[in-house]
DNA sequence: GCAAAAGTGTTGTTGGTACACCCATGC
DNA sequence: GCATGGGTGTACCAACAACACTTTTGC
């Protein structure tokens, strides 16, 4: 009797220097075989630990999709899996050690990685999630300015946003707390500092 | 070396008699072991064929989620899988042979099936999908009246909808075609007959 | 003629979008 | 004093929600 080989793949996102970036290990998504020992989550933990500078508990993680056969482009890759369970993980730029930033590549829908289909799917999911939840908390330090927040949104959505409308919207959602502090970046007027009320995933009330 | 056992589970939905129903095989979702032969899709085809009155190509199918360990309540079930890949399938009431309707049970969030977590998740996905796509085409005959359509929406969303607003909205989406025919049900005024412009999944323009 | 379901418009509210200038600071 | 990014308000438009009566048919 034949058993299938199952793999786990990670799509790691971060917004670095205003650009949406994905982590690669020699031009492929980090992946590992899974042999059914322990839970899937544990296996993902382990895989996560392989990424330099990334502790298990950091960031936001979510299962993406289970790819099989053609969809994942798997046949083309010898020694690969019959099915691949893909996860995406969000990691704040501030948690990435400076020396390792070159392993993060700016997302480009036209790139031709074997994993492009998975990455594209992950980006769509991220774009959706960021509009309907507070999930961006995982891409920012605990305290941040509204401009920082806006830059993260712009990087993910891939388009510029209007400053006034953005602030009105985000503040009206009531997911932020004004710390009343001020932070000065460079030689400009200091900006107000905010934090997310909660670091747990919350769906935004659209009513 | 140990290999994991992978299972496929099906959540089959239909709206029968104005109620959202799920198909059960002795109080459980239909499932089958998968040993990595052929693609996942083929395996789902096969499982689908086990459901009486359901041909492979009928209805709409989508992968739901891959459950492992605790999440799916699997440990409680002896002889079950390490991971279960769940799919949901939508099937029009008109395609279900009369004699087999008793295997379809009205969805109840309070029921205590071992598969309740999966089913609940599937219902949420369905509710979302039905609001942003034309996917209900798979739950109705080719031709139908607006009232029939509204009843399907109400069953899925679990709440009554306003007739005038519903019609305005659905017609403005431009996904329906008026056949100009009339259909008389019972002793009331005959209703206009519509069809979906396409039977392929289409995301609705929200602009 | 009456029961049953079909069909039809208006109004108020809300959320989205477009848009331009002054302010506080570092150098 | 000037360059840099921070911060603010209004007006228009589109989508949504609430709401009640007339029409056509079968019996």
């Amino acid at each position: 009797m034949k058993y299938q080989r199952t793999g786990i793949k990670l799509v790691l996102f971060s917004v670095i220097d205003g650009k949406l970036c994905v982590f690669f290990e020699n031009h492929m998504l980090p992946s590992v075989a899974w042999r059914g020992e322990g839970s899937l989550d544990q296996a993902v933990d382990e895989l996560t630990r392989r990424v330099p500078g990334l502790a298990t508990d950091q960031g936001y993680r979510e299962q993406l999709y289970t790819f099989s056969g053609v969809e994942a482009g798997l046949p083309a890759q010898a020694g690969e899996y019959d099915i691949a369970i893909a996860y995406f993980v969000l990691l704040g730029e501030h948690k990435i050690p400076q020396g390792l930033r070159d392993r993060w590549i700016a997302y480009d829908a036209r790139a031709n990685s074997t994993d492009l289909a998975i990455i594209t799917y992950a980006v769509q999911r991220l774009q959706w999630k960021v509009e309907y939840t507070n999930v961006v908390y995982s891409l920012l330090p605990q305290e941040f300015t509204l401009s920082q927040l806006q830059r993260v949104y712009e990087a993910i959505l891939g388009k510029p946003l209007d400053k006034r409308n953005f602030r009105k919207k985000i503040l009206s959602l009531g997911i932020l707390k004004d710390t009343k502090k001020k932070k000065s970046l460079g030689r400009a007027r200091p900006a107000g500092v905010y934090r997310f009320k909660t670091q747990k995933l919350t769906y935004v009330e659209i009513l």
Side-chain angles (χ1 to χ4, degrees), chain A residues 15 18 20 126-137 139-140 144 146-161 166 169-170 173 175-176 196 204:
Chain A
V15 174
L20 178 61
L126 176 58
Q127 290 178 337
W128 183 88
K129 205 104 194 177
V130 103
E131 298 203 68
Y132 294 101
T133 72
N134 66 348
V135 81
V136 277
Y137 73 78
L139 290 167
L140 286 161
F144 50 86
L146 292 183
S147 297
Q148 276 180 285
L149 181 59
Q150 182 175 345
R151 279 193 290 272
V152 171
Y153 271 90
E154 289 175 332
I156 292 171
L157 299 176
K159 65 181 181 193
L161 300 174
F166 176 77
K169 177 79 182 302
I170 207 83
L173 296 179
I175 58 178
L176 298 185
F196 280 93
V204 163

Side-chain angles (χ1 to χ4, degrees), chain A residues 7-8 18-19 40-41 88 97 103 108-109 119 163 167-168:
Chain A
I8 297 176
K19 286 203 277 283
L40 266 181
D41 257 329
F88 83 76
R103 300 176 71 168
D108 178 355
I119 296 171
K163 202 197 330 183
R167 293 161 104 91
K168 210 186 314 168

Side-chain angles (χ1 to χ4, degrees), chain A residues 91-195:
Chain A
L91 187 63
E93 178 178 17
H94 59 286
K95 291 184 177 169
I96 303 173
Q98 276 294 343
L100 299 165
R101 306 233 163 150
D102 55 335
R103 300 176 71 168
W104 294 79
I105 312 292
Y107 167 68
D108 178 355
R110 300 154 312 177
N112 57 347
S113 160
T114 45
D115 290 316
L116 182 62
I118 296 178
I119 296 171
T120 301
Y121 185 75
V123 169
Q124 284 170 16
R125 180 90 136 247
L126 176 58
Q127 290 178 337
W128 183 88
K129 205 104 194 177
V130 103
E131 298 203 68
Y132 294 101
T133 72
N134 66 348
V135 81
V136 277
Y137 73 78
S138 60
L139 290 167
L140 286 161
Q142 278 230 318
E143 307 201 326
F144 50 86
T145 69
L146 292 183
S147 297
Q148 276 180 285
L149 181 59
Q150 182 175 345
R151 279 193 290 272
V152 171
Y153 271 90
E154 289 175 332
I156 292 171
L157 299 176
K159 65 181 181 193
L161 300 174
D162 179 85
K163 202 197 330 183
R164 280 173 290 193
N165 292 338
F166 176 77
R167 293 161 104 91
K168 210 186 314 168
K169 177 79 182 302
I170 207 83
L171 291 174
S172 78
L173 296 179
I175 58 178
L176 298 185
K177 205 175 109 194
D178 187 346
T179 64
K180 308 290 182 188
K181 294 189 235 175
K182 296 276 174 195
K183 189 161 117 197
S184 207
L185 299 102
R187 58 184 150 178
R189 174 176 175 176
V193 173
Y194 292 79
R195 23 189 326 169

